Amino acid sequence: MKKYLLSLAVISLFYTKSEACAWSDPDYEYFNLFTQSIIKDKSYLPFLHSYSTRFYTDFKPSMIPDENIDSWKRYFNNQLSYAQTEYLVNKMNINDLNALKKGSPTNQLLITLGPGFYQKYSEGIDYLIEAKYLEPYMKINYIESGDSFYYREPATTGKNATNLDYNKTVSALTSLYNAAKNPEIKQRYGYQLVRFNHYTRNYDAAVKAFKTYVEPLRLKGAPYIMALDQLAGAQRGLGMNTEANWNFFQVFRDSKSRKESAFVSMKLSDTASFNNILKRAATNDDKNMAYFLLGYEDFNNPIPVMEKMFEINPDSEILKVMAVRSINELERSYLPIYYYTDDNSNAVQKNTTDKSRKQDITETAEPKKEELSFWQKIVRFFKNLFSSKKDKSSTDGKADQSDDELLDNPDRIPVFTKNNYWYDDKTKDFLDDLEEFTSKTKEKSKDEYWQIADAYLKFLKKDYKASTEILENIKTSNPEYLEEIKRMKVLNDIVSQPKIDADYEDHLMKDYAEYFTEKPEVKKDSTETDEYDYYGEVPSTADFLKDVLANRYFLQGEDGKSFLMNNKLSDLQYNPNSSLVKSVEDFYRKSDKTQFEQQIIAKNINDVGNIEAFFAVIYGDRAMRQADFEKAKSYYTKAQDFTGIPRSEWNYDEKKVASLKYPAEAYNGFSNISDYVFGHNVWESYQSSPEESMKKEDYSAFPFIKPSMNKLELAETLIQLKKIGSGKDEKSAAANQLIGNLLYNTSILGYYRQLFVMDIDNTNGGKYDFQSTERQNPYQYYYKNFLNRTYIEPDNFDLAINYYKKALNISANKEQKARILFQMASAEQGKYYQYEAKNPSKINYSDPKWSEKSDAYQKQLDQIKNQKYRTYFALLKSQYSDTETAKGLMGSCSYFGYFMK
């Protein structure tokens, strides 16, 4: 769990196709199915793959062993545990050690160790007392410009090494060094001399101290590594960059706890290539380590470096680190938490032809094709010959798919996506290259890791049979390996299943319930909590399996189940597409739900008030948008118990989110609709009040139009208007005009555009997106990001225009005709907007003639607009420009005024 603010949060937005979020963390945008941290040597954990931070951080620091604590533990003859030793060395107060030395310990650990502990280890205890005295001062006196390679820690005490008396401190440490009998303790005093001179910027003295007090002892343990680290820092201060880099390299190689800092020192202190280190590498281990640093730094194509490391030692632990980083990079393209289409906003229609569909999904990796025997080909031929052909994109067509057709569907996740900002066409090929390398390495290495990695890569390639066979044959006692193998077997089982039916759902609940059932929330330890927890839980295996099943249901035509795997029933309000709503309703009404359906899917049928009324309002709204007022009435009759569109608000009294309680007079999705809905807009301002934006028509001939109506009453009113509109008099003309007004006013362009799309006001949102509403289904995989996509049938502006035409043909009032023509022109403008959204500019910004081509494209659009979508404006100008209505419109509608001129 990340517990900090990201310093690269803004930059991270460029890494992935993330949602519009100011704090986006790319390490939370894919499923971590292959656990990076299963490497055996935990000292390399910081070098696992991460986009969010410079080094990988999703592990407890205690997982990395500290050679200094191990050294002290051995010094105390293993009388203390590792934790006790770490406490004694790093955390115990200096006063406690002085009390021990005086024979009157007060610390419980020291009391337990007994009175003889100091006598036995007096040299070590005396050293720790001196070290704890020096520690608060052991920081360099930071100089902003001159020491940019030093890490400046937040100031706590304000102390640094120059606060100590230089001569007195050197003399004391030298005296203690000479008096010490134990070589390791002696070397520790030597380390303190090197460090003190380094931090007081006496770089020459630090180098001399290393050669005088550390090197002659010929010990290469923890004190030597610590001193070598300080020597390299002093050499950096002297400008001896090549020597400093080599010594930092040795620290990186030999230390377990200092690898990250040594790597930073190499990186920040010198821009020279690691080739100098490679030249000095005398042993295979040194060369292997140098290649690792090179490969880690140049990660665009790690395979060539991994090949060199393989030749040196196929059992190398750092070779596994390179491999796991490569696998993690692949995961980001194959297992993103959202699967997008090409442009991340425009969607692929599911009813396109096979040919166009293949073109639309070029970014998706084709599954591995099964080689059929001659007999299998014959069987498939006759099977296809006598089968009835159905549209595979339709619900019935999806339901009738064979196992082969389901398995061959290119949209079965995991699939390859361009999820990386630095994507290139070679990225897909990298899976093949890495699989080839891993397969070769598993034959040479004795570590089962390579078998697990090979099985996982085959999983990504959808070769589940081969993956499972490898996993079944792995013999290991490593608990982390066993956990990964167990998880991968579950993945292979579920992902390879052709169709998720009732029997398989029973299998899921019987054998894999732990991945699907809710677990009680575990209270975190106080040491694991932090106020900067912005991202929630890292996507888990359970989350991935839920997405897999949602995707499978989607491909099988069970859209309702697919939707409810990732969404709540109440979420339908935001994009009430009729076909999806019908599928969700069918599942809701299903009487023989399996245990899986009841416990895992149906739990997302949350509180929407009266569920029957909720569905009825959605269907009634769609009928109204289609101008089928009789059908709308039949649905609204069933919706009279509708309690309001299910929205939430903050309850200040109870201090929690609660269901929105609509005021009695407020529009709630069903009631309190003003008769302004039959009027026309005076000016286009969605934020203004109805009285400011709208003007009522003359309703005197229609007394049944109430000032305030619910949707049932509105539908009944429209039915009466429609009946009257079938006549041939001025009243009929007015009735048709009112119907046209309502259809326009409730369209995407109208002041009351919220009425029939399950919204509570006319503010902007996805429902009012011309570009998306033209698409029948913006989902290629499943409904996980449902709230971020528009999935609602587009307006049919011809319905309003047709009613206006009836009014125009009947009316004899020239002023009224002018008003009707303007309304028709406004509806026609909506048709143009839909055309424009379906034909966006495809000119690349990098094109040197972008401006010129864009201007030409806009001129082409303007020409099409004037030729095909200005019919009624032209008629209004040519025949009615002398009317008071037209003159008034020129003053209130700037665009019409421009057109008239």
Side-chain angles (χ1 to χ4, degrees):
M1 181 71 62
K2 298 287 168 51
K3 300 289 185 182
Y4 44 77
L5 281 168
L6 288 179
S7 60
L8 299 177
V10 177
I11 296 176
S12 74
L13 293 175
F14 294 98
Y15 279 85
T16 58
K17 295 181 176 181
S18 56
E19 294 301 302
C21 174
W23 293 100
S24 176
D25 185 344
D27 285 343
Y28 282 67
E29 294 180 358
Y30 73 102
F31 292 101
N32 300 266
L33 299 188
F34 191 88
T35 307
Q36 291 193 80
S37 58
I38 65 171
I39 58 172
K40 292 178 180 176
D41 190 340
K42 304 304 182 184
S43 66
Y44 289 101
L45 288 175
F47 298 91
L48 300 178
H49 201 18
S50 173
Y51 275 153
S52 307
T53 51
R54 185 172 188 183
F55 294 98
Y56 184 77
T57 59
D58 277 349
F59 61 89
K60 294 181 179 180
S62 59
M63 293 177 67
I64 298 180
D66 187 335
E67 62 275 1
N68 185 44
I69 302 303
D70 285 332
S71 178
W72 277 109
K73 188 172 181 293
R74 288 191 298 273
Y75 172 81
F76 292 122
N77 292 310
N78 297 314
Q79 190 173 342
L80 286 76
S81 67
Y82 183 94
Q84 290 173 327
T85 307
E86 198 272 336
Y87 170 70
L88 175 67
V89 173
N90 291 336
K91 299 175 182 177
M92 186 174 289
N93 190 286
I94 188 174
N95 295 329
D96 289 334
L97 292 179
N98 277 319
L100 173 68
K101 185 174 182 179
K102 294 176 183 178
S104 55
T106 57
N107 183 282
Q108 187 58 49
L109 173 62
L110 299 180
I111 294 172
T112 303
L113 291 172
F117 185 73
Y118 174 76
Q119 285 75 16
K120 188 174 183 180
Y121 303 112
S122 58
E123 276 196 347
I125 301 299
D126 289 343
Y127 168 80
L128 286 174
I129 292 172
E130 179 67 17
K132 288 179 183 290
Y133 167 74
L134 294 174
E135 192 60 32
Y137 300 93
M138 288 300 104
K139 295 180 180 64
I140 199 161
N141 182 22
Y142 187 83
I143 299 175
E144 189 69 34
S145 59
D147 295 283
S148 59
F149 64 87
Y150 285 105
Y151 172 65
R152 186 176 189 177
E153 294 182 358
T156 51
T157 63
K159 298 176 180 178
N160 63 72
T162 60
N163 297 133
L164 294 171
D165 183 291
Y166 178 80
N167 292 325
K168 184 178 178 181
T169 302
V170 169
S171 176
L173 288 172
T174 304
S175 177
L176 290 168
Y177 175 90
N178 291 326
K181 303 298 182 184
N182 184 293
E184 184 176 313
I185 300 301
K186 186 183 285 286
Q187 196 175 54
R188 288 186 181 278
Y189 284 117
Y191 154 69
Q192 294 289 356
L193 282 163
V194 178
R195 181 166 72 152
F196 179 65
N197 279 295
H198 173 205
Y199 286 162
T200 54
R201 302 182 187 277
N202 291 288
Y203 301 130
D204 283 321
V207 173
K208 183 178 179 181
F210 183 86
K211 292 179 178 179
T212 304
Y213 301 111
V214 176
E215 207 168 37
L217 295 174
R218 299 186 181 278
L219 298 176
K220 294 297 181 76
Y224 177 84
I225 295 172
M226 295 158 62
L228 189 65
D229 195 20
Q230 295 297 323
L231 170 66
Q235 288 171 329
R236 183 74 67 220
L238 292 170
M240 302 168 61
N241 292 329
T242 301
E243 292 300 318
N245 266 353
W246 173 247
N247 286 326
F248 279 130
F249 171 76
Q250 293 183 83
V251 174
F252 180 89
R253 179 196 64 196
D254 298 333
S255 171
K256 292 185 177 297
S257 61
R258 295 170 179 264
K259 290 189 186 299
E260 182 179 324
S261 63
F263 178 83
V264 170
S265 296
M266 279 188 283
K267 284 296 298 168
L268 294 181
S269 57
D270 190 13
T271 59
S273 168
F274 282 114
N275 287 334
N276 289 329
I277 293 174
L278 187 60
K279 291 176 183 177
R280 297 184 67 164
T283 67
N284 282 340
D285 286 343
D286 285 353
K287 292 178 181 178
N288 207 22
M289 189 69 67
Y291 279 127
F292 169 76
L293 294 176
L294 286 167
Y296 180 86
E297 183 60 21
D298 184 20
F299 199 66
N300 288 330
N301 184 10
I303 298 294
V305 171
M306 291 169 67
E307 291 284 1
K308 293 181 180 295
M309 295 172 69
F310 171 83
E311 292 172 6
I312 295 173
N313 180 11
D315 283 317
S316 167
E317 189 71 12
I318 51 178
L319 181 57
K320 288 160 53 181
V321 176
M322 292 296 293
V324 79
R325 285 174 56 84
S326 300
I327 291 172
N328 186 265
E329 181 70 22
L330 281 169
E331 278 194 326
R332 295 168 188 269
S333 293
Y334 280 89
L335 304 172
I337 59 173
Y338 294 126
Y339 284 88
Y340 296 104
T341 48
D342 283 0
D343 62 2
N344 199 22
S345 61
N346 294 336
V348 177
Q349 295 191 53
K350 300 302 272 190
N351 62 347
T352 51
T353 63
D354 288 343
K355 182 178 180 181
S356 65
R357 178 134 180 80
K358 287 178 182 177
Q359 293 171 344
D360 282 334
I361 57 173
T362 52
E363 72 178 59
T364 302
E366 292 291 335
K368 186 174 181 178
K369 295 296 182 182
E370 178 187 5
E371 289 294 330
L372 301 177
S373 67
F374 177 73
W375 175 249
Q376 287 174 315
K377 291 177 180 179
I378 293 176
V379 171
R380 182 171 291 188
F381 170 78
F382 282 103
K383 187 176 181 180
N384 293 333
L385 182 64
F386 294 106
S387 64
S388 58
K389 293 185 177 180
K390 291 188 178 182
D391 180 5
K392 296 302 180 186
S393 65
S394 68
T395 301
D396 290 339
K398 288 180 179 180
D400 288 343
Q401 293 176 92
S402 67
D403 285 357
D404 286 342
E405 288 170 325
L406 288 168
L407 287 170
D408 287 345
N409 192 310
D411 294 341
R412 286 172 64 89
I413 60 175
V415 297
F416 181 84
T417 63
K418 300 175 184 178
N419 199 46
N420 190 323
Y421 181 73
W422 287 281
Y423 165 86
D424 57 54
D425 290 333
K426 295 180 180 179
T427 307
K428 269 195 290 188
D429 300 332
F430 181 63
L431 175 55
D432 294 328
D433 296 339
L434 185 60
E435 183 191 31
E436 182 180 348
F437 177 85
T438 303
S439 182
K440 174 180 69 175
T441 308
K442 78 174 185 179
E443 301 301 325
K444 293 287 186 180
S445 174
K446 296 183 285 293
D447 195 327
E448 302 90 354
Y449 167 87
W450 293 102
Q451 299 176 59
I452 299 173
D454 191 35
Y456 186 76
L457 294 176
K458 286 179 168 54
F459 160 77
L460 291 183
K461 296 186 75 171
K462 301 186 180 181
D463 193 352
Y464 309 121
K465 181 180 179 181
S467 177
T468 301
E469 288 177 353
I470 294 171
L471 295 171
E472 292 290 351
N473 292 322
I474 296 176
K475 308 297 182 188
T476 181
S477 58
N478 184 308
E480 290 184 298
Y481 286 3
L482 290 171
E483 181 62 30
E484 184 69 27
I485 291 169
K486 174 189 172 185
R487 181 192 304 126
M488 288 178 60
K489 285 180 178 179
V490 175
L491 292 173
N492 280 326
D493 181 2
I494 295 176
V495 178
S496 64
Q497 177 68 15
K499 185 171 185 175
I500 310 300
D501 55 19
D503 290 339
Y504 196 76
E505 287 173 345
D506 290 340
H507 164 57
L508 293 175
M509 291 304 291
K510 178 183 177 181
D511 298 316
Y512 305 135
E514 63 183 286
Y515 292 101
F516 299 104
T517 54
E518 296 277 349
K519 296 180 177 63
E521 186 175 352
V522 178
K523 188 175 182 180
K524 295 182 177 66
D525 184 83
S526 59
T527 61
E528 297 179 357
T529 58
D530 191 283
E531 59 181 313
Y532 299 122
D533 183 9
Y534 286 104
Y535 306 106
E537 296 292 335
V538 175
S540 65
T541 302
D543 295 326
F544 173 75
L545 292 176
K546 183 170 67 174
D547 282 12
V548 167
L549 292 174
N551 174 251
R552 297 300 189 261
Y553 291 134
F554 181 75
L555 298 179
Q556 293 169 196
E558 298 180 80
D559 289 46
K561 292 170 68 172
S562 176
F563 173 83
L564 288 171
M565 285 297 296
N566 296 114
N567 305 278
K568 304 291 186 182
L569 174 61
S570 58
D571 292 336
L572 281 176
Q573 67 179 290
Y574 296 103
N575 288 304
N577 177 278
S578 303
S579 61
L580 175 59
V581 173
K582 180 63 169 64
S583 186
V584 174
E585 183 188 21
D586 288 344
F587 174 75
Y588 162 68
R589 298 188 185 282
K590 183 180 177 183
S591 59
D592 57 341
K593 293 184 181 71
T594 65
Q595 184 185 6
F596 184 86
E597 290 175 328
Q598 292 176 41
Q599 297 183 14
I600 309 305
I601 305 178
K603 70 180 180 182
N604 285 327
I605 300 177
N606 62 332
D607 183 16
V608 296
N610 186 300
I611 294 179
E612 304 286 343
F614 178 75
F615 285 122
V617 168
I618 295 177
Y619 292 136
D621 286 352
R622 181 57 184 159
M624 290 290 270
R625 286 162 59 83
Q626 294 173 325
D628 192 341
F629 311 127
E630 291 79 7
K631 181 187 286 187
K633 178 184 176 181
S634 70
Y635 283 119
Y636 289 149
T637 300
K638 303 172 185 177
Q640 296 182 74
D641 291 330
F642 186 70
T643 56
I645 296 173
R647 295 291 174 90
S648 299
E649 64 179 350
W650 179 254
N651 187 311
Y652 288 95
D653 295 331
E654 299 179 9
K655 297 189 179 343
K656 66 178 182 179
V657 175
S659 297
L660 174 63
K661 303 298 183 184
Y662 290 89
E665 70 282 358
Y667 172 68
N668 67 352
F670 187 74
S671 303
N672 301 312
I673 301 170
S674 168
D675 59 353
Y676 274 109
V677 75
F678 287 110
H680 62 266
N681 59 300
V682 179
W683 69 318
E684 194 169 294
S685 174
Y686 296 109
Q687 287 75 38
S688 300
S689 68
E691 292 78 12
E692 294 175 291
S693 291
M694 303 295 292
K695 182 178 179 180
K696 296 182 182 181
E697 307 289 356
D698 182 3
Y699 303 151
S700 59
F702 312 104
F704 51 84
I705 297 179
K706 300 178 181 179
S708 179
M709 298 163 278
N710 62 34
K711 286 184 174 179
L712 176 59
E713 293 169 329
L714 184 62
E716 290 171 339
T717 299
L718 286 162
I719 291 171
Q720 292 187 64
L721 288 172
K722 182 179 177 182
K723 184 177 180 180
I724 296 170
S726 63
K728 299 295 182 181
D729 55 11
E730 287 296 330
K731 184 176 181 180
S732 299
N736 284 303
Q737 182 185 2
L738 293 180
I739 296 174
N741 283 355
L742 177 132
L743 291 173
Y744 176 78
N745 289 335
T746 56
S747 74
I748 188 173
L749 296 177
Y751 183 83
Y752 288 99
R753 57 186 181 174
Q754 73 271 20
L755 289 190
F756 303 135
V757 290
M758 288 289 279
D759 210 344
I760 58 177
D761 57 42
N762 61 24
T763 53
N764 280 320
K767 296 167 185 172
Y768 313 124
D769 183 353
F770 278 106
Q771 188 168 8
S772 296
T773 53
E774 273 301 304
R775 301 186 176 275
Q776 199 165 33
N777 186 340
Y779 297 91
Q780 185 172 337
Y781 301 100
Y782 53 115
Y783 298 98
K784 183 174 184 179
N785 53 340
F786 181 77
L787 300 183
N788 301 331
R789 309 292 286 276
T790 299
Y791 185 33
I792 185 170
E793 298 92 346
D795 290 306
N796 183 353
F797 286 99
D798 283 327
L799 294 174
I801 290 173
N802 288 338
Y803 277 101
Y804 283 136
K805 280 182 179 179
K806 292 179 183 180
L808 186 69
N809 292 335
I810 297 172
S811 178
N813 185 317
K814 194 171 184 180
E815 293 292 337
Q816 192 69 3
K817 281 178 174 283
R819 164 57 61 187
I820 293 169
L821 277 170
F822 181 76
Q823 292 299 107
M824 294 172 76
S826 298
E828 191 177 40
Q829 180 80 356
K831 294 180 66 175
Y832 169 73
Y833 291 145
Q834 289 177 338
Y835 168 83
E836 187 180 60
K838 289 172 63 178
N839 297 274
S841 172
K842 297 181 180 178
I843 304 166
N844 196 309
Y845 281 108
S846 62
D847 192 322
K849 295 185 177 181
W850 178 85
S851 181
E852 178 184 332
K853 291 180 179 181
S854 294
D855 290 342
Y857 172 75
Q858 188 58 51
K859 287 180 181 179
Q860 182 183 10
L861 283 180
D862 291 341
Q863 185 179 15
I864 292 171
K865 183 193 305 181
N866 288 322
Q867 289 177 351
K868 297 183 177 181
Y869 298 98
R870 289 292 177 265
T871 310
Y872 306 112
F873 267 140
L875 189 60
L876 183 58
K877 179 179 180 180
S878 63
Q879 298 183 23
Y880 297 90
S881 59
D882 60 336
T883 62
E884 292 301 317
T885 300
K887 293 175 183 177
L889 288 168
M890 286 182 64
S892 62
C893 178
S894 59
Y895 190 87
F896 180 64
Y898 170 79
F899 182 84
M900 292 293 281
K901 295 173 183 178

